[in-house]
Amino acid sequence: MGNLPAHCLEDGQVFHYVGIDFEGPFSIRESLRRKAALGKAYLCLFVSMTTKAVHLEVVSKYSTDAFLAALDRFVARRGRPTNIYFDRGRNFVGAANKLRELGHWQRAKSTQEDILRHAKEREIQCHFNPPAAPYFGGILEARIKSAKSVMEKVVNGAHLTFEELTTLFLQH
């Protein structure tokens, strides 16, 4: 077994080194009306690479702008990370149809350029995992699995509103 990366062994700010991954889509009701239309929401997972602490954000769309807004909310609540580690989305290839749109967005060159520009303005270094190395994001995938299993048990098939889903993620 190889050595742990240096960023996993450093002391300091909890969310100094952060890994980010997405999960979803989750079906949400657009209002509290009886036959309200269903929409989509996504979970943006922030994991501290040193302490394995988790921060969950609900994102309304799988777009660059929605992700950057989630990143700004994370920074406002937890402080500015100095290094962020992203999955390139190669692990989504061949996944279920609902994850196909996630993979296309994550692999888009324009998405990565927008994220890098946004991070540079905030003095954050971005690191993208190698394309054919899904094991680089193992800790992220484990936390996604945990969050998804808790969500399934608590929600039990009910369709929540965006506010209810946000509250659920903040409480757990």
Side-chain angles (χ1 to χ4, degrees):
M1 181 185 298
N3 295 331
L4 286 172
H7 64 265
C8 291
L9 303 172
E10 285 189 14
D11 288 336
Q13 182 184 351
V14 175
F15 287 101
H16 194 68
Y17 294 92
V18 176
I20 299 176
D21 204 355
F22 270 81
E23 173 62 32
F26 297 103
S27 293
I28 60 169
R29 290 186 313 177
E30 293 187 2
S31 73
L32 292 173
R33 292 188 333 257
R34 185 178 295 200
K35 293 184 179 181
L38 294 179
K40 295 179 183 177
Y42 300 87
L43 166 64
C44 184
L45 182 91
F46 297 85
V47 177
S48 169
M49 302 304 270
T50 53
T51 63
K52 310 302 183 260
V54 175
H55 176 86
L56 305 173
E57 283 288 337
V58 179
V59 181
S60 60
K61 291 186 257 179
Y62 204 81
S63 68
T64 303
D65 292 335
F67 166 70
L68 295 176
L71 179 62
D72 287 341
R73 289 191 303 271
F74 170 78
V75 169
R77 290 180 176 139
R78 304 290 184 183
R80 183 181 55 82
T82 56
N83 291 273
I84 295 178
Y85 297 85
F86 293 99
D87 184 357
R88 282 190 188 264
R90 297 285 289 175
N91 56 329
F92 294 140
V93 175
N97 288 338
K98 68 178 183 175
L99 293 178
R100 233 176 264 290
E101 98 183 51
L102 302 177
H104 293 302
W105 176 80
Q106 251 183 337
R107 286 191 304 275
K109 188 82 170 157
S110 63
T111 298
Q112 293 179 12
E113 289 170 358
D114 288 346
I115 291 169
L116 288 172
R117 186 176 77 281
H118 190 81
K120 187 176 181 182
E121 292 170 1
R122 287 156 181 75
E123 299 177 359
I124 300 171
Q125 292 182 8
C126 292
H127 309 277
F128 289 94
N129 293 342
Y135 50 86
F136 271 62
I139 188 69
L140 297 170
E141 299 305 323
R143 296 301 182 260
I144 287 282
K145 183 178 176 183
S146 297
K148 192 174 180 180
S149 69
V150 167
M151 169 108 174
E152 288 172 358
K153 289 176 185 171
V154 172
V155 173
N156 197 21
H159 297 290
L160 304 176
T161 63
F162 187 84
E163 289 78 17
E164 292 169 336
L165 189 63
T166 302
T167 304
L168 175 69
F169 285 150
L170 290 174
Q171 290 176 339
H172 293 77

